């Protein structure tokens, strides 16, 4: 499977999705082993009060979370390719993110961690862009704003 992910092809994205769904099969079959999370902060309450129909349905919740994690994995992969973190282009960073995010049961459900993770990847992308530029103030400011928004959500 690693050989298939070492090259850039559309079939690799399909393989990533299949691996992610297969690793989440116990969640789909047996449900969430964790008690429901109740958020007390205002932004998470506002966000999750509108998403209660998704968070109550196990299959829909798991599929939407898997798709969001796949998008984040592909985004991390794009950051790794854009900033030459690897010697050649591959889907291995996305594959490792899928594996690591499937180790924790907390990542199987749609919650504030998933939304905060989007802003953390934005911070990572901006910090890598900081290395290539001469004007670092705006990039550092953007990174600080993204961290602030992520901390407000989670």
């Amino acid at each position: 499977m690693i050989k298939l992910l070492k090259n850039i092809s559309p079939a690799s994205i399909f393989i990533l999705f299949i691996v992610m769904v297969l690793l989440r099969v116990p969640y789909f079959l047996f449900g969430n082993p964790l008690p429901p999370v109740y958020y007390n902060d205002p932004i998470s309450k506002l966000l999750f009060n509108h998403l209660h129909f998704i968070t109550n349905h196990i299959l829909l919740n798991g599929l939407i979370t898997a798709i969001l994690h796949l998008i984040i994995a592909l985004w991390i992969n794009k950051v790794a390719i854009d900033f030459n973190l690897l010697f050649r282009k591959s889907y291995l960073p996305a594959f490792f993110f899928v594996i690591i995010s499937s180790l924790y049961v907390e990542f199987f459900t749609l919650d504030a961690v998933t939304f905060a993770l989007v802003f953390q990847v934005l911070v990572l992308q901006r910090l890598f862009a900081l290395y290539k530029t001469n004007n670092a103030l705006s990039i550092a400011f953007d990174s600080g704003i993204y961290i602030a928004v992520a901390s407000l959500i989670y």
Side-chain angles (χ1 to χ4, degrees):
M1 182 179 323
I2 301 275
K3 278 186 178 182
L4 295 172
L5 295 170
K6 280 189 177 181
N7 58 5
I8 299 290
S9 69
S12 300
I13 297 172
F14 182 71
I15 291 170
L16 278 174
F17 184 73
I18 295 298
V19 167
M20 181 173 285
V21 169
L22 287 177
L23 289 173
R24 292 167 190 253
V25 164
Y27 172 75
F28 294 136
L29 293 178
F30 304 117
N32 190 3
L34 299 175
V37 177
Y38 298 104
Y39 296 101
N40 293 327
D41 53 316
I43 293 179
S44 292
K45 273 186 183 179
L46 179 71
L47 185 67
F48 288 105
N49 281 342
H50 296 296
L51 296 176
H52 65 84
F53 63 92
I54 294 174
T55 56
N56 292 337
H57 194 268
I58 291 175
L59 184 63
L60 185 63
N61 188 0
L63 283 177
I64 289 175
T65 306
I67 290 170
L68 280 174
H69 277 213
L70 181 68
I71 291 169
I72 292 170
L74 293 174
W75 192 5
I76 288 172
N77 197 59
K78 182 186 179 309
V79 169
I81 289 172
D82 288 347
F83 295 104
N84 295 326
L85 298 178
L86 301 173
F87 293 113
R88 64 183 205 180
K89 295 179 182 181
S90 71
Y91 281 109
L92 288 178
F95 177 70
F96 288 125
F97 178 79
V98 165
I99 296 295
I100 291 171
S101 70
S102 296
L103 289 175
Y104 300 105
V105 180
E106 293 86 5
F107 285 153
F108 289 178
T109 60
L110 189 62
D111 59 353
V113 176
T114 305
F115 293 111
L117 188 61
V118 170
F119 290 102
Q120 290 175 350
V121 174
L122 271 170
V123 168
L124 183 71
Q125 186 176 13
R126 296 302 286 170
L127 288 178
F128 281 139
L130 187 68
Y131 182 73
K132 291 183 177 182
T133 187
N134 293 330
N135 185 13
L137 291 176
S138 65
I139 294 175
F141 180 77
D142 291 346
S143 298
I145 292 293
Y146 293 146
I147 289 173
V149 171
S151 64
L152 282 175
I153 291 174
Y154 184 62

